[in-house]
């Protein structure tokens, strides 16, 4: 008995100990959970601070805003969450999901407080303006029904329903849900009007019932006239509700809408099945424009921009439709505002927006504010800035009332166009042709009668590198012709004649025509003389350029082609026309090959009108009557006679590369007739053959002029290097791609960290403005080596290129980064252009310790969407590839791989075409099949040259086609070839 009692006591004590132990363990678990929660909150708060810091640096990081909102919602920080959502909605239009999440949070907090409900209503009004969303409209009407008990609650609910139907009631796929919700609301009111069962309706109840019944019937009638999904079910529901005969007019409207719905149903199916919805929307809209109403077209455009909100083309088509078809600024201005928020990089949208504001007669402050917003978007091209400034300056010009007091408007116009010119100068390719200043000059001359100011602007344009362009001089001449006088026109044409190099014939035409219209005989003949003299000089320069180019080409030709020389039994015809002159003498066409007969007929001679035929006849007769011996003695230099006989005449020179026919026989001619070379066309009528035993001046031992090359190396040095000796070159760094507003002080402050700077030579143009590169001289070469580490480092937003100051002809191309496999470096592509180095470091630092992060940019500093991330460990790089490849950053999916650049060096024996040469199909020995051999068959003897022995320039054509087994031919001179060609053994 005692033993059992003791056992029971022991058992009770053990149970008590177990309970105490369990309580202790629970307390420990609570403490542990509390500690874990505190640590998580601290980590979340740290992340919030980091995200807010990124937004403060760059507020246009869309993904960072999203991450911040999600994190604040998890933490339950209500005020910070509201501020984050408000800040994002001001910068970006929010998608449907973001708005619904925000609205639901605010609705749950509003309750019955009328002030809070008013804030939620304002939020709904903002939400429905961003994009067309049926779901947001349904939430809006549902929220409005919740305030039905308030004063005029039913009226407000109906107003919201009507706005929803006008916005999305024509939505073919989802609009029926709005109509049904509206009818259910009105049916609920109808049921409340009916008397209780067993009671007799009063007169007031009967009148209210009739009014409500008619309202629902009108709602059915409106819905059945709209082509919507499930419209046949709506018609059946209407019959059941009516419980009577349907009106014939309603039936007719329903069948018409049903027929239209069947026509557009294929487009709706394509929108559900096809991936390229943009193309489907385009064809769908075209059909609606042709067959539908304006309201249906607008609804369809709203659906299109909802799914293609980042496509500028869609917004441009939408706004152009509103401007051209409806011309209602109350509709187009809100759409323009949404378009520039979605696609701020599109200058066309901004330009059209400014025109619409002007058409709507908005204030100058509104237009100016829009221009400032556009210019702050950071366009990728200089032409976009020019388009904005041009549109704004046009607006300011139209704002001036010239028949009234306009001093204030004119001052504003001048101030802004001057500001535009200065701004565009700082942007690469901002206004290369000076179009704004041309416009400004015309305004000053036409309206302000200030031709002097116009001339100043034009002279400024011409001194900025346009002095050799005929088109710019002709535009300047047109300005002077309209607003200036004959004196300035004549001076301008003389300047143009001495400056133009691309198309001088156009200046000659303008000069001669001007003197024919305005000048006297002396002035006209003076103009002719100046034109002739200038064209002679241009002809000589073109000839020298052609010879130099031909000499350079001959060095690279395979097989040692020998130039064929033929007899000239006539002279170039004077029947050339001038219609092809621009094409023939354009710089871009200087390598074009012309047919010989075309060149013979393309030389144009400028005559005085009253002596054109006479001079032509005299010139021909004089050529025919030349003494044969005199012609032979002149040899290759017979043009002296022609120069004397055509002293007052100039001829348009042939295009670069044209040789024409020589007037004398080849040097070394012995009088013995030989077989003419291939391509010889026979003798021209009226010109006799050279006499027998003719011996021209031998050119043996002389180097052809085309082979003389420039040996000076001055032009190969950097511009601005001057007479810098080799000692200075080794201590000098060449810095390029500088921003145009960077001056010597800025350069000195940046590069002084690498050592003492003895001199900075910032290269400037004739106006004293920077060209974007400079030379920095250090006391020794060690400082230059340190400065090279600054290569490709951004300076004022542009990557600066730093290199040694060396001769380009001996300097080997260098690349700062490795071009082979690097297992610890990753190559990332597909990045958003808004991605920063810090954001990229945060993403990839989670997978290992980073050594370097480099964003690849253009010369302007704009990102390419590429980057390199280097880890300290190869294993960490491999893990990062597996975890980040295919990662979504915003709307972009990035691609990550181990860095291994492809080999860009051409393989051995691989044909590498030169620029513009195109692809050539070659035979076994590398000769193009389309290549015409100019080597006479008599010279094609045997003896293939050894593949290891490089043939000389004189014997390459003879040894290239030797037959196997024959003796090796010795090298031949030019005289040997000449004797073989003419048959002189």
């Amino acid at each position: 008995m005692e033993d059992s009692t003791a056992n029971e006591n022991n058992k009770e004590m053990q149970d008590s100990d177990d309970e105490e132990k369990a309580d202790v363990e629970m307390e420990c678990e609570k403490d542990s959970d509390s500690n874990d929660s505190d640590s998580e909150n601290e980590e979340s708060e740290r992340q919030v601070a980091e995200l807010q810091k990124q937004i403060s640096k760059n507020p246009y990081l869309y993904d960072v805003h999203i991450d911040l909102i999600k994190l604040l919602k998890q933490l339950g920080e209500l005020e910070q969450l509201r501020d984050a959502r408000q800040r994002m909605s001001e910068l970006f239009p929010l998608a449907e999901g973001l708005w619904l999440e925000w609205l639901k949070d605010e609705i749950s907090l509003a309750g019955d407080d009328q002030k809070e409900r008013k804030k939620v209503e304002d939020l709904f009004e903002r939400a429905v303006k961003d994009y067309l969303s049926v779901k947001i409209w349904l939430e809006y009407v549902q929220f409005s029904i919740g305030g039905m008990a308030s004063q005029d609650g039913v009226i407000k609910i109906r107003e919201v329903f009507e706005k929803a139907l006008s916005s999305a009631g024509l939505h073919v796929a989802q609009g029926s849900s709005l109509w049904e919700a509206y009818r259910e609301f009105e049916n609920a009111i109808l049921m409340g009007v009916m008397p209780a069962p067993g009671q007799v309706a009063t007169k007031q109840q009967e009148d209210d019932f009739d009014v409500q019944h008619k309202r629902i019937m009108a709602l059915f009638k409106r819905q059945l006239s709209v082509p919507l999904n499930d419209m046949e079910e709506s018609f059946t529901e209407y019959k059941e509700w009516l419980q009577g005969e349907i009106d014939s007019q309603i039936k007719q409207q329903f069948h018409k809408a049903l027929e239209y719905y069947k026509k557009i149903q294929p487009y709706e199916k394509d929108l559900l099945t096809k991936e390229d919805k943009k193309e489907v929307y385009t064809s769908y809209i075209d059909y609606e424009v042709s067959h539908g109403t304006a309201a249906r077209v607008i609804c369809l455009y709203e659906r299109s921009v909802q799914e293609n909100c980042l496509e500028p083309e869609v917004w441009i088509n939408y706004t152009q439709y509103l401007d051209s078809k409806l011309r209602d600024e109350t509709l187009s201005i809100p759409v323009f505002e949404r378009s520039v928020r979605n696609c701020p990089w599109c200058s066309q949208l901004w330009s059209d927006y400014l025109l619409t504001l002007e058409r709507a007669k908005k204030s100058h402050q509104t237009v100016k504010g829009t221009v400032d917003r556009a210019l702050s978007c950071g366009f990728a091209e200089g032409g976009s800035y020019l388009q904005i400034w041009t549109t704004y300056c046009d607006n300011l010009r139209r704002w001036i009332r010239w028949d009234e007091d306009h001093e204030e408007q004119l001052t504003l116009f001048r101030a802004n166009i001057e500001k535009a010119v200065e701004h565009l100068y700082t942007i690469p390719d901002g206004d290369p042709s000076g179009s704004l200043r041309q416009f400004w000059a015309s305004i000053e001359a036409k309206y302000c009668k200030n031709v002097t100011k116009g001339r100043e602007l034009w002279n400024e344009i011409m001194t900025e590198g346009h002095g050799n362009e005929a088109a710019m001089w002709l535009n300047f001449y047109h300005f002077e012709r309209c607003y200036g006088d004959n004196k300035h026109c004549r001076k301008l044409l003389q300047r143009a004649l001495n400056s133009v190099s691309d198309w001088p014939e156009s200046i000659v035409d303008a000069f001669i025509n001007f003197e024919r219209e305005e000048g006297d005989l002396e002035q006209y003949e003076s103009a002719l003389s100046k034109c002739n003299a200038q064209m002679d000089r241009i002809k000589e320069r073109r000839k020298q350029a052609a010879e130099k180019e031909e000499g350079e080409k001959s060095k690279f030709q395979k097989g040692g082609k020998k130039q064929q020389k033929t007899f000239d039994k006539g002279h170039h015809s004077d029947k050339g026309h001038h219609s092809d002159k621009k094409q023939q003498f354009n710089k871009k066409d200087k390598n074009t090959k012309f047919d010989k007969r075309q060149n013979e007929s393309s030389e144009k001679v400028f005559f005085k009108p009253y002596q054109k035929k006479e001079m032509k006849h005299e010139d021909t007769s004089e050529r025919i009557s030349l003494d044969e011996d005199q012609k032979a003695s002149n040899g290759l230099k017979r043009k002296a006679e022609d120069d004397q006989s055509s002293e007052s005449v100039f001829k348009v020179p042939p295009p670069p590369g044209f040789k024409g026919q020589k007037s004398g026989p080849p040097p070394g001619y012995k009088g013995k007739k030989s077989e003419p070379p291939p391509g010889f066309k026979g003798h021209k009528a009226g010109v006799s053959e050279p006499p027998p035993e003719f011996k021209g001046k031998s050119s043996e031992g002389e180097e052809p002029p085309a082979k003389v090359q420039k040996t000076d190396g001055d032009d190969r040095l950097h511009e601005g290097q001057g007479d810098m000796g080799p000692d200075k070159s080794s201590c000098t760094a060449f810095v390029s791609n500088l921003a145009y507003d960077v001056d010597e002080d800025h350069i000195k402050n940046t590069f002084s960290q690498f050592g003492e700077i003895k001199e900075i030579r910032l290269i400037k143009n004739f106006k004293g403005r920077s060209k974007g590169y400079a030379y920095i001289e250090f006391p020794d070469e060690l400082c230059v080596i340190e400065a090279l580490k600054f290569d490709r480092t951004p300076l004022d937003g542009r990557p600066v290129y730093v290199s040694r100051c060396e001769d380009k002809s001996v300097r080997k191309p260098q690349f700062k980064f490795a071009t082979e496999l690097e297992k610890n470096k990753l190559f990332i592509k597909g990045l958003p252009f808004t991605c920063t180095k810090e954001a990229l470091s945060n993403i990839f630092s989670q997978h290992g310790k980073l050594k370097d992060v480099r964003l690849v940019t253009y010369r302007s500093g704009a990102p390419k969407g590429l980057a390199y991330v280097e880890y300290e460990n190869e294993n960490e790089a491999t893990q990062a590839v597996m975890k980040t490849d295919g990662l979504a950053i915003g709307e972009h999916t990035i691609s990550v791989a181990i860095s291994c650049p492809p080999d860009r060096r051409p393989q051995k024996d691989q044909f590498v075409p030169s620029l513009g040469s195109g692809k050539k199909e070659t035979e076994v020995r590398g000769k193009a099949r389309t290549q015409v051999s100019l080597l006479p068959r008599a010279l094609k003897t045997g003896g293939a040259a050894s593949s290891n022995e490089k043939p000389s320039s004189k014997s390459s054509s003879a040894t290239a086609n030797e037959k196997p087994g024959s003796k090796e031919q010795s090298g031949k001179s030019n005289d040997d070839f000449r004797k073989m060609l003419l048959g002189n053994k």
Side-chain angles (χ1 to χ4, degrees):
M1 189 70 178
E2 292 178 358
D3 294 339
S4 62
T5 302
N7 291 334
E8 289 178 359
N9 291 333
N10 292 334
K11 186 176 182 180
E12 290 177 358
M13 292 176 65
Q14 185 176 359
D15 292 340
S16 177
D17 293 340
D18 293 340
E19 290 178 359
E20 291 179 0
K21 185 177 180 180
D23 292 340
V24 172
E25 290 178 354
M26 290 178 63
E27 292 294 333
C28 292
E29 289 178 359
K30 289 182 179 179
D31 293 340
S32 177
D33 294 340
S34 177
N35 293 333
D36 293 342
S37 177
D38 292 341
S39 62
E40 290 178 359
N41 289 337
E42 291 178 359
E43 178 63 20
S44 299
E45 291 176 358
R46 186 190 64 80
Q47 294 179 5
V48 168
E50 181 63 27
L51 293 174
Q52 290 176 341
K53 183 178 179 181
Q54 294 182 31
I55 292 175
S56 63
K57 291 183 178 179
N58 186 0
Y60 293 97
L61 297 176
Y62 187 89
D63 297 332
V64 178
H65 284 279
I66 298 294
D67 295 338
L68 179 61
I69 290 173
K70 290 180 180 179
L71 194 57
L72 290 174
K73 188 173 182 180
Q74 292 176 2
L75 293 174
E77 298 290 342
L78 178 60
E79 294 302 326
Q80 294 187 36
L81 178 61
R82 282 176 173 171
D83 292 341
R85 284 169 168 169
Q86 178 67 25
R87 191 185 308 114
M88 184 177 181
S89 65
E90 292 173 355
L91 296 172
F92 305 101
L94 302 186
E96 181 184 85
L98 293 174
W99 273 119
L100 288 174
E101 184 180 355
W102 188 1
L103 290 167
K104 289 178 181 179
D105 291 343
E106 295 294 340
I107 290 172
S108 63
L109 296 172
D112 296 331
D113 189 348
Q114 293 301 318
K115 291 184 178 180
E116 293 297 327
R117 289 185 63 85
K118 182 65 172 63
K119 292 180 180 179
V120 176
E121 289 178 3
D122 295 339
L123 205 59
F124 268 114
E125 290 294 334
R126 290 174 54 193
V128 296
K129 290 179 181 179
D130 273 354
Y131 299 112
L132 175 63
S133 173
V134 175
K135 292 182 180 179
I136 294 179
W137 278 114
L138 288 173
E139 287 289 336
Y140 193 4
V141 297
Q142 187 68 30
F143 175 76
S144 300
I145 292 173
M148 185 175 177
S150 62
Q151 184 179 1
D152 298 332
V154 176
I155 297 176
K156 292 180 180 179
I157 295 171
R158 285 174 177 157
E159 289 177 354
V160 173
F161 267 117
E162 289 297 331
K163 287 193 292 186
L165 291 180
S166 63
S167 176
L170 299 179
H171 196 302
V172 178
Q174 302 176 15
S176 57
S177 59
L178 288 172
W179 291 98
E180 292 172 2
Y182 199 179
R183 283 190 286 104
E184 289 178 3
F185 169 73
E186 295 294 350
N187 273 321
I189 295 178
L190 181 66
M191 297 300 293
V193 172
M194 296 176 64
Q199 295 182 358
V200 179
T202 63
K203 178 65 175 174
Q204 182 66 32
Q205 288 178 332
E206 290 179 356
D207 293 342
D208 292 343
F209 180 84
D210 291 340
V211 170
Q212 190 65 20
H213 188 272
K214 290 180 180 179
R215 183 178 284 114
I216 297 175
M217 184 177 293
L219 202 55
F220 264 119
K221 182 178 179 180
R222 290 168 59 190
Q223 180 182 357
L224 294 176
S225 64
V226 178
L228 299 170
N229 285 351
D230 304 327
M231 61 183 307
E232 294 177 335
E233 287 79 357
S234 300
F235 185 75
T236 304
E237 184 180 352
Y238 175 58
K239 288 197 299 184
E240 294 175 354
W241 178 85
L242 186 62
Q243 296 180 356
E245 186 66 24
I246 300 178
D247 185 62
S248 60
Q249 184 180 1
I250 297 178
K251 285 185 178 180
Q252 183 180 0
Q253 291 178 353
F254 168 74
H255 289 298
K256 182 179 179 180
L258 182 62
E259 182 180 357
Y260 193 86
Y261 171 74
K262 292 179 180 179
K263 293 180 180 179
I264 63 177
Q265 193 174 14
Y267 296 108
E268 294 291 338
K269 290 182 179 179
D270 290 342
L271 289 175
L272 296 175
T273 56
K274 290 188 177 181
E275 294 183 0
D276 189 5
K277 295 184 179 181
K278 180 182 175 182
E279 183 178 354
V280 178
Y281 272 119
T282 301
S283 56
Y284 196 177
I285 290 171
D286 291 340
Y287 181 82
E288 288 288 4
V289 170
S290 303
H291 301 85
T293 61
R296 294 189 58 80
V297 175
I298 291 175
C299 182
L300 197 54
Y301 265 121
E302 288 291 343
R303 293 173 61 185
S304 177
V305 297
Q306 181 190 11
E307 299 189 28
N308 304 281
C309 59
L310 299 180
E311 293 288 342
E313 182 182 358
V314 177
W315 287 105
I316 290 174
N317 294 336
Y318 187 11
T319 53
Q320 287 180 351
Y321 172 80
L322 295 175
D323 278 343
S324 60
K325 300 295 183 181
L326 303 182
R327 300 189 70 82
D328 186 354
E329 287 77 16
T330 59
L331 293 175
S332 57
I333 288 179
V335 175
F336 269 115
E337 183 62 32
R338 292 161 53 204
S339 70
V340 296
R341 290 184 68 202
N342 282 274
C343 304
W345 60 86
C346 180
S347 60
Q348 183 64 45
L349 286 172
W350 287 105
S351 178
D352 294 344
Y353 190 8
L354 293 173
L355 293 175
T356 303
L357 291 175
E358 182 182 0
R359 193 182 304 116
K361 294 181 171 55
K362 295 296 180 180
S363 65
H364 173 70
Q365 295 300 326
T366 302
V367 177
K368 181 66 168 60
T370 306
V371 172
D372 292 339
R373 288 170 54 198
L375 296 175
S376 64
C377 288
F379 298 114
E381 298 179 354
S384 300
Y385 289 99
L386 176 61
Q387 185 176 12
I388 301 300
W389 278 117
T390 301
T391 305
Y392 182 45
C393 292
D394 290 347
N395 171 267
L396 293 176
R397 197 275 304 168
R398 288 188 289 267
W399 192 45
I400 302 175
R401 296 291 179 264
W402 298 103
D403 54 346
E404 301 175 2
D405 184 15
H406 55 266
E407 188 64 30
E408 181 180 354
Q409 295 91 334
L410 181 59
T411 303
L412 182 64
F413 169 79
R414 286 170 172 167
N416 280 276
I417 198 169
E418 185 175 2
K419 181 180 178 181
V421 171
E422 293 176 355
H423 178 239
L424 292 172
Y425 185 82
T426 62
I427 298 172
D429 297 327
D431 190 5
S433 61
S435 59
L436 264 184
R437 279 173 290 178
Q438 294 183 33
F439 171 70
W440 186 5
S442 299
I443 297 300
E444 292 286 351
K446 182 177 181 180
Y447 294 102
C448 305
K449 310 304 179 184
N450 190 358
V451 183
T452 303
K453 178 63 176 179
R455 291 191 184 108
E456 291 177 1
L457 293 170
W458 263 109
N459 285 323
E460 185 178 315
I461 295 172
M462 298 308 298
T463 54
E464 292 180 355
H466 302 290
N468 62 337
E469 300 175 12
M472 295 295 291
W473 280 108
L474 290 176
N475 290 336
F476 192 3
Y477 167 67
H478 177 71
F479 166 83
E480 195 66 59
R481 198 84 164 102
C482 292
Y483 309 112
D485 49 39
N486 292 344
K487 176 183 176 181
H488 285 88
C489 284
R490 188 170 286 108
K491 287 184 177 180
L492 188 149
L493 288 171
Q494 291 176 359
R495 289 171 57 196
L497 183 65
N498 295 327
S499 304
V500 169
S501 61
D502 59 344
W503 191 22
E505 292 80 7
S506 60
I507 303 299
V508 169
D509 283 345
F511 199 178
I512 292 177
N513 289 331
F514 170 76
E515 294 297 353
R516 289 176 58 195
E517 296 173 6
E518 304 292 344
D520 54 23
L521 179 60
E522 182 180 356
Q523 292 170 335
Y524 176 61
E525 290 181 340
S526 175
L528 278 177
S529 176
K530 292 177 181 178
C531 290
N532 289 332
Q534 181 65 13
M535 290 307 298
D536 286 341
R537 289 191 290 269
I538 292 175
K539 178 179 179 181
E540 185 64 26
R541 287 198 296 267
R542 286 174 174 171
K543 181 179 179 182
Q544 294 175 0
E547 291 175 350
K548 180 180 179 181
E549 181 181 356
E550 186 65 24
E552 292 176 354
K553 284 184 178 180
S554 63
K555 294 170 57 178
F556 299 100
Q557 290 178 347
K558 294 183 179 180
K561 291 183 181 180
K562 188 68 179 177
Q563 179 183 353
Q564 298 285 344
K565 297 185 178 181
T566 57
F567 295 108
D568 183 7
K569 300 300 182 181
H571 202 73
H572 297 305
S573 173
D574 292 327
K575 297 180 180 181
H577 56 82
H578 203 51
S579 61
D580 299 332
K581 59 187 177 183
K582 182 174 182 180
Q583 178 182 0
Q584 293 177 8
F585 299 109
N586 195 305
K587 284 184 176 180
K588 297 181 180 179
D589 297 333
K590 66 180 182 179
N591 293 327
T592 306
K593 296 182 180 179
F594 292 83
D595 183 81
K596 184 181 297 183
R597 289 169 294 177
Q598 178 183 351
N599 281 285
E600 289 174 355
S601 62
S602 64
E603 290 193 4
K604 179 175 179 180
V605 181
F606 289 85
F607 296 95
K608 300 178 182 179
Y610 52 83
Q611 64 174 142
K612 184 173 182 180
K613 293 184 179 179
E614 297 177 0
M615 290 191 66
K616 183 176 179 180
H617 180 268
E618 292 173 2
D619 183 71
T620 305
S621 61
E622 184 176 356
R623 292 172 190 158
I624 296 176
S625 61
L626 285 173
D627 183 71
E628 295 291 335
D629 294 334
Q630 185 180 358
K631 283 181 62 179
S633 63
N634 286 337
L636 295 175
K637 300 181 179 179
R638 61 182 292 275
K639 68 175 184 179
E641 289 291 329
D642 293 337
D643 293 340
Q644 295 176 2
S645 64
S646 58
E647 186 175 355
S648 62
V649 180
F650 72 87
K651 301 177 183 179
V652 178
F658 172 71
K659 296 181 176 53
Q661 289 181 327
K662 308 291 184 182
S663 59
Y669 179 77
K670 302 297 184 181
K672 183 178 180 181
K673 292 185 178 180
S674 62
E675 183 180 357
F680 181 72
K681 303 297 184 180
H683 304 298
K684 294 186 179 181
V687 182
S688 60
E689 298 180 10
E693 304 299 326
F694 171 78
K695 295 183 180 180
K697 183 179 179 180
S698 175
S699 61
E700 184 176 354
E702 296 181 3
E703 187 70 10
K707 293 186 179 180
V708 177
Q709 296 183 353
K710 186 176 181 179
T711 58
D712 297 336
D714 296 341
D715 58 336
R716 299 181 182 179
L717 298 176
H718 295 295
E719 179 184 353
Q721 193 170 345
D723 298 331
M724 185 185 300
D727 296 337
K728 284 190 176 182
S729 298
S730 61
C731 303
T732 304
F734 176 65
V735 183
S736 60
N737 201 42
L738 292 167
Y740 295 108
D741 56 352
V742 172
D743 55 11
E744 289 89 343
D745 294 337
H746 196 355
I747 297 174
K748 185 175 182 180
N749 294 335
T750 303
F751 284 87
S752 59
Q753 57 182 311
F754 307 115
E756 179 188 354
I757 296 178
K758 296 179 63 177
E759 184 182 1
I760 297 177
R761 293 185 295 280
L762 180 62
I763 307 304
K764 301 179 181 180
N765 60 12
F766 43 82
K767 297 189 68 176
R769 296 177 178 175
S770 169
K771 286 189 174 183
Y773 54 94
Y775 297 89
I776 305 176
E777 184 179 343
F778 292 97
D780 52 48
E781 190 173 357
L782 295 177
C783 298
V784 177
I785 296 175
E786 290 296 322
L788 293 178
K789 298 178 181 179
F790 198 73
D791 185 33
R792 299 177 186 272
T793 302
L795 180 62
D796 288 357
R798 294 173 65 93
V800 176
Y801 304 134
V802 184
S803 62
R804 294 177 179 273
C805 185
E806 298 175 344
D807 190 345
K808 292 183 178 179
S809 61
V810 299
R811 184 179 61 188
K812 296 182 179 180
Q814 297 178 352
F815 190 61
K816 181 178 179 181
F817 307 101
T819 57
E820 57 188 11
L821 176 64
E822 294 179 280
K823 295 183 179 181
N824 65 324
K825 183 182 288 188
L826 305 184
F827 172 64
I828 302 103
K829 61 181 180 179
L831 290 168
F833 292 151
T834 56
C835 183
T836 62
K837 184 176 180 180
E838 292 77 11
L840 203 62
S841 300
N842 291 336
I843 295 173
F844 285 90
S845 61
Q846 302 174 12
H847 310 292
K849 190 173 182 180
L850 300 182
K851 186 176 180 181
D852 184 33
V853 176
R854 178 168 63 93
L855 291 176
V856 183
T857 64
Y858 292 97
R859 292 177 64 91
S860 62
K864 290 186 176 182
L866 309 175
Y868 289 91
V869 175
E870 186 175 0
Y871 285 89
E872 293 187 353
N873 190 294
E874 295 181 3
N875 295 331
E876 294 175 348
T878 305
Q879 293 293 327
V881 170
M882 294 187 293
K883 294 180 180 179
T884 59
D885 187 28
L887 180 68
I889 300 181
E891 298 181 357
H892 295 256
T893 301
I894 64 173
S895 175
V896 184
I898 298 295
S899 176
C900 184
D903 189 5
R904 299 181 181 274
R905 292 173 297 180
Q907 299 178 359
K908 189 177 180 181
D909 300 332
Q910 180 181 359
F911 172 70
V912 181
S914 61
L915 182 61
S917 64
K919 183 178 180 181
K920 294 184 179 180
E921 185 180 5
T922 59
E923 294 180 349
V924 178
R925 289 188 293 272
K927 185 179 72 174
R929 292 181 179 177
T930 58
Q931 185 176 352
V932 180
S933 177
L934 300 180
L935 190 66
R937 288 187 295 271
L939 301 181
K940 293 184 178 180
T941 58
S946 174
S947 60
N948 297 327
E949 181 181 356
K950 183 177 179 181
S952 64
S953 60
K954 295 183 179 182
S955 61
S956 57
S957 62
T959 60
N961 296 296
E962 284 182 352
K963 297 181 180 180
S966 64
K967 292 183 178 180
E968 185 177 357
Q969 299 290 331
S970 59
K972 296 181 181 297
S973 64
N974 291 340
D975 193 46
D976 294 333
F977 282 121
R978 189 179 302 107
K979 292 178 180 179
M980 295 178 66
L981 178 63
L982 300 177
N984 297 331
K985 302 295 184 179

